[in-house]
Amino acid sequence: MQEESPKAIFYALAANFGIAVCKFAAAAFTGSGAMFAEAIHSTADCGNQLLLLFGIKRARAPANVLHPLGSGREIYFYALIVALLLFFVGGAFSVYEGAHRLMHHEPVSNPVVALVILGVSVVLEAFSLAGAVREIRKGAPDKTLWRWFRETRESELLVVAGEDVAALLGLAIAFAAVLMTMLTGNPAYDSAGSIGVGVLLMIVAFLVAREVKSMIVGESASPEVRKAIDAHLRARPEIKRIISLITLQWGKHVVVAVQAELIDYASGRAMIDAINLIEDDLQRAFPQVRWVFFEPDVARDRGEPTAA
């Protein structure tokens, strides 16, 4: 697994700050509910990115007596907070704003200005999403984005990518809503656009929160890393059989617990030296493996899992 990806977060923060300023100005000038919902969304995204940067800093805290494996998983907590903010501040507020305007039939003035701002926002959001995709492709060049979304252990990058995709789709909805309002003169389209943006944000927030929740509960290393570690250990000449292999993602690092039957050694010291060699070689081959717990044992047919 790669280091955390603050570069993608900085891309998103810069883009969303510029977008939020433009959208608020356009919302005030036009009275568009869809535009105001988009402005709130971009502001929430700026706060979310600041939270992720803070979470990355906290996750780098060294191990101590209270947290002997370090604080790497703290980033998952902040990623979950971001998903909740995206749901309630971005999504639920947009739905409320749209419903309020729909009941009061508030008009939209100067829709052309709103359309221009939305077009500029699309360009900036595309810049942010392109930065996130570049970071994704560094670690997963052959995966589809959906497969990466389901399998990644990089919670901060998952949140940024989810926000960017939601933002682009939300801009498309807002653009269509304002355009229909301009063509028909009916402000209900604008209100419906605000509701549509809100529903979209809540769906994306739910999907992101579901993935982050799984990380908080405790996920193994990604499937390809887990498979590679298992193959590496099975190829070791010192190991006769892998009895149990557990991997646990701990922020950007991985914890590995191995129970294995070794070949016969003349002494306990020779076995210890062999285990140390196995552990050192594993950490050289997989730099993300910070901790290795190796237990020599004799295989017994009790149905132990061969990998987990």
Side-chain angles (χ1 to χ4, degrees), residues 60-199:
R60 291 172 176 166
N64 53 41
V65 175
L66 184 60
H67 301 102
L69 298 184
S71 302
R73 290 177 68 179
E74 190 163 346
I75 185 61
Y76 301 157
F77 168 78
Y78 288 97
L80 182 61
I81 294 298
V82 166
L84 294 175
L85 289 174
L86 185 64
F87 187 95
F88 290 106
V89 177
F93 181 82
S94 295
V95 171
Y96 166 79
E97 181 67 19
H100 174 78
R101 288 175 178 268
L102 188 62
M103 289 187 294
H104 292 83
H105 305 286
E106 297 184 13
V108 176
S109 59
N110 298 301
V112 174
V113 174
L115 292 175
V116 171
I117 295 299
L118 288 170
V120 172
S121 299
V122 167
V123 174
L124 292 174
E125 283 291 358
F127 165 78
S128 175
L129 180 59
V133 171
R134 280 197 299 271
E135 295 299 311
I136 291 170
R137 288 306 177 209
K138 289 179 182 179
D142 302 322
K143 290 183 180 180
T144 64
L145 289 179
W146 177 247
R147 182 183 169 197
W148 172 86
F149 182 85
R150 294 307 310 272
E151 295 182 356
T152 184
R153 305 304 189 254
E154 296 178 272
S155 59
E156 68 289 345
L157 188 53
L158 177 135
V159 169
V160 170
E163 283 183 341
D164 288 343
V165 169
L168 278 175
L169 293 176
L171 287 168
I173 293 173
F175 189 94
V178 174
L179 181 62
M180 289 299 297
T181 298
M182 184 180 70
L183 294 176
T184 65
N186 186 355
Y189 286 107
D190 180 68
S191 301
S194 179
I195 295 172
V197 170
V199 171

Side-chain angles (χ1 to χ4, degrees), residues 25-65:
F29 189 68
T30 64
S32 168
M35 180 62 71
F36 186 68
E38 278 292 313
I40 293 296
H41 170 207
S42 296
T43 302
D45 282 351
C46 289
N48 291 345
Q49 276 111 45
L50 291 174
L51 271 176
L52 289 176
L53 291 171
F54 180 73
I56 288 176
K57 181 179 179 181
R58 292 286 303 164
R60 291 172 176 166
N64 53 41
V65 175

